[in-house]
Structure formats: structure tokens, C-alpha cells
Amino acid sequence: MSAPRTVLVLGGTTEGRAAAAALAGRDDVRVVSSLAGAVRSPALPDGEVRIGGFGGAEGLAAHLRAERVAAVLDATHPFASTMTANAAAACAGTGVPLVVLRRPGWTPGPGDRWHRVTSVAAAAAALPGLLPGSAGRVLLTTGRGGLAHFAAVDAAFWIRAVDPPDGPLPARHELLLDRGPFALDGERALFEAVVPHVLVTKDSGGAATAPKLTAARERGVPVLLVDRPPLPGGVAVEPTVDAALARLLGD
């Protein structure tokens, strides 16, 4: 009997954990999930787990060779552009097959008041134009990174993140430490309590954090939506776990 193929799953997303669970049930696969370590108490996937970076594309390539990795599934967050670029470069340099698993982004529906921007910095620059001056109230759900861009905005912020953020923060802010998925009733209650003038968020896609968009639509709250960074050219991309695994394993 041949040794199991080693499949490296990058990312601790919901889709990454689902892929690891599916692979862990196979006798012909050894699944190893790699988590960045950005979250203090991550939900651990099935199978083997490593936590921490690789040291850029060269470090990842060395890891692929040392561990004789047969295939890589990039199931990182849609905004983890550095890791995705490193995976594309490392796999191209080693000849290891790579499939990028990306849930579809969100699309606006009737009643949505979305303002798309290209980055968190662009969202911070556009935000004052949507606020009634210093009395403005902002629900900020872009995560713990990049919050320094909002430090100079004169408004009251409610910042939702999994872990406490580092670095400069707006002078007036309240931290809402919580982890998705978020139910619609809970998001409605949050909007009722905060009464935001603007919701600032990233186009993460998926159902786990989409209810905030419904709550914003119901209350007529405009949304500053940060677009996803572009994917490296030439990579294979699939929108679902089943499709990604079928392409990756040739099943």
C-alpha cells in the first residue's frame, strides 16, 4: 500500500476547516492545516495542525520540499493576499499543485447603499463624507488590522474584532470582542444599540458575517465595503470545498 499523499491546507477559515475534515476522513491523504497564529484561540481543524508563518515564499517552498507535500489548498481569508502570493510563488517554484478556495463575494440587493473602496485606508478617507460631523457613529468590522487609518477620524466607533487590536485607535471607541458566525437577530440588536450612521466592513463573502449587511439595509445605513485584493494570475480558483478538493485531488 502506498503512503498517503500530504495535502497542506492554508488557513483557519470555515472552508479550510471543512476541507480538512473531509480530507482527514480519507486513508490516502495526510492532511496538515497551517494557521497563521493571528487569532489567540483559533478553532482547530481536523488532522495535523501547525501554527505560524513559513518565512515568505522561499520558506514555504522549502517546507513543501522537506515535507514532500503533494498538493496545497489555499483556504485563507480573501484578504490574506500576502499568504496567497507566497503560496502561488512557492508552488510555481516547486511544481506542487495549488488550488485557491475562495467563497464568492457579496453582491448588493435592492435597498442596499454600498460604497465600494479599494482598501481600508481608502475607507478611512471616505468615511468623514458619510458622517454628520463629530456626532457620527461608526460600526467598524474590518478586523484588528489597519485600524490606525481611522485614528484621526472624529467620530464614535464601535470596533468588532476577535482579539483586542494593537496600535493607534480612534479617540472615541468601544471594543466589541466577538467571533462569528453572527445571527440576524443579534445583528439587528447591535444596530439598535449602536445606531450607526455607517457600517465599515470588508467583502469577506459567505454567510457567517453577512447578516450585518441585512441589518444595515433594513435600517437604511450606508456601507463602506472594502473590495478584495486581486488574486495572483494563473492560479486555479474554486468557490466551494467540494469543487476545490475535486480539482486538487483529481477525483
Side-chain angles (χ1 to χ4, degrees), residues 52-229:
F54 293 95
E58 292 184 1
L60 177 54
H63 178 85
L64 299 181
R65 295 188 187 100
E67 293 295 316
R68 299 183 179 180
V69 173
V72 176
L73 177 63
D74 176 4
T76 55
H77 192 276
F79 284 82
S81 56
T82 299
M83 187 67 251
T84 296
N86 289 343
C91 288
T94 58
V96 174
L98 168 69
V99 173
V100 176
L101 171 58
R102 283 293 181 272
R103 69 187 80 134
W106 291 317
T107 56
D112 282 321
R113 300 169 59 194
W114 291 6
H115 304 265
R116 288 189 176 273
V117 290
T118 57
S119 66
V120 172
L127 181 56
L130 297 174
L131 295 173
S134 60
R137 302 162 67 87
V138 181
L139 180 57
L140 183 57
T141 67
T142 55
R144 64 196 298 265
L147 297 180
H149 292 296
F150 298 93
V153 178
D154 187 13
F157 284 80
W158 281 258
I159 301 171
R160 185 161 70 187
V162 176
D163 293 321
D166 300 319
L169 296 174
R172 293 180 287 146
H173 73 270
E174 181 177 336
L175 293 181
L176 307 174
L177 300 182
D178 204 354
R179 186 199 303 267
F182 299 102
L184 180 55
D185 285 348
E187 298 294 68
R188 285 169 171 160
L190 176 60
F191 273 71
E192 183 70 26
V194 173
V195 194
H197 292 100
V198 181
L199 166 66
V200 184
T201 193
K202 292 178 176 179
D203 187 6
S204 300
T209 59
K212 64 190 170 190
L213 300 173
T214 302
R217 182 190 314 126
E218 291 175 348
R219 298 185 68 92
V221 174
V223 178
L224 268 176
L225 190 66
V226 180
D227 282 332
R228 299 174 175 191

Side-chain angles (χ1 to χ4, degrees), residues 2-28:
S2 60
R5 293 173 288 175
T6 297
V7 174
L8 179 64
V9 178
L10 304 175
T13 58
T14 300
E15 292 83 2
R17 291 193 297 274
L23 292 170
R26 297 178 55 135
D27 294 332
D28 62 337

